Each structure stands twice: as C-alpha cells, then as structure tokens.
Amino acid sequence: MEQMIGPIANDDLALLFRQFADGLLSIETLVNEMKYKKLTNQYSFHTEKAISLLKKVGADYV
C-alpha cells in the first residue's frame, strides 16, 4: 500500500487518554468526551513513487 488515510488524534485526545490513565476520568466520561472532539485526517505516503505523484494545487496561509 503506497498511501494510507486515517484519523489523527490531536492534543485534546492525548490529554483525555492521559487523564483516564491517571485515574482522573471514568471510562464513561472518556467515551462521552471523545464523542464531541473533532478528528482530522492525516495522509501518509510510504514510497518514493507515491511521493512523486503528489501535486501542489494551492496553499493556505494562516
């Protein structure tokens, strides 16, 4: 597989998992909090061929 797409956890989710692991959150609270977090996708290209096929089509500046 040359390209993979999937959700990436942001720092908010990492904090939730850490709080759960430290015993500060119940499993119910963890699951409930995760429902309202917006996940973004990350794209991962694993070969030179996959990278060579990328084409820049625009840019957003923040």
Side-chain angles (χ1 to χ4, degrees):
M1 182 176 294
E2 295 179 352
Q3 171 188 351
M4 297 177 70
I5 302 170
I8 182 171
N10 62 20
D11 289 340
D12 292 339
L13 290 177
L15 176 61
L16 284 174
F17 287 122
R18 197 166 34 255
Q19 290 173 331
F20 174 72
D22 290 343
L24 301 173
L25 295 179
S26 68
I27 188 68
E28 293 83 11
T29 302
L30 174 66
V31 170
N32 198 37
E33 290 291 323
M34 288 174 59
K35 288 179 186 177
Y36 300 103
K37 299 293 182 192
K38 181 179 179 184
L39 296 178
T40 57
N41 283 332
Q42 70 178 358
Y43 297 81
S44 179
F45 300 90
H46 295 266
T47 65
E48 291 286 333
K49 179 181 177 186
I51 293 170
S52 73
L53 297 173
L54 292 175
K55 178 180 171 186
K56 183 175 180 179
V57 294
D60 292 328
Y61 296 96
V62 219

